[in-house]
Amino acid sequence: MPEIPAGDPEKGKKVFVQRCMQCHTVEANGKHKTGPNLHGLIGRSTGQAPGFSYTDANKNKGIKWTRETLFEYLENPKKYIPGTKMIFAGLKSKDERADLIAYLIQSTK
């Protein structure tokens, strides 16, 4: 597993607003959009946000979302979960991924 930079949640919030907010919310009891609400993401298994219609690929991936799994997933979602309906090419920058994850850890508790 590659070393994950510490990440800056303030920079990560900007990444979220620019790249993720169109499809996701982070607040408790936030609504699902094209993608699921991400509140409670860290430690949750793939395909498990209540009330969201996931593909079988997401439901059956069988991993828990952690800093490490998100770091790999966010680089190339379709490679990490073949068959996902998430239409996002990914974040190639390690720093952007680390920043986004730092923001998600903080904002989805």
Side-chain angles (χ1 to χ4, degrees), residues 33-108:
K33 294 181 170 183
T34 304
N37 169 268
L38 300 176
H39 189 77
L41 173 71
I42 305 302
R44 182 168 70 209
S45 295
T46 54
Q48 299 300 314
F52 187 78
S53 176
Y54 286 96
T55 61
D56 286 343
N58 265 342
K59 289 188 271 191
N60 298 331
K61 179 66 177 180
I63 58 107
K64 291 211 180 295
W65 290 122
T66 64
R67 208 167 162 262
E68 293 75 22
T69 55
L70 280 169
F71 191 75
E72 189 175 348
Y73 174 74
L74 289 169
E75 183 178 18
N76 188 340
K78 288 190 181 296
K79 180 179 177 189
Y80 192 74
I81 303 180
T84 185
K85 63 183 175 183
M86 183 159 139
I87 52 166
F88 177 64
L91 294 170
K92 303 306 173 215
S93 164
K94 289 180 179 182
D95 290 331
E96 277 191 342
R97 279 183 280 149
D99 293 342
L100 176 58
I101 292 165
Y103 170 72
L104 289 173
I105 288 170
Q106 200 175 72
S107 66
T108 63

Side-chain angles (χ1 to χ4, degrees), residues 14-31:
K14 290 177 184 155
V15 174
F16 183 83
V17 168
Q18 292 170 349
R19 308 289 297 275
C20 313
M21 198 165 80
Q22 178 179 342
C23 296
H24 295 282
T25 57
V26 293
E27 65 277 355
N29 302 310
K31 67 177 183 171

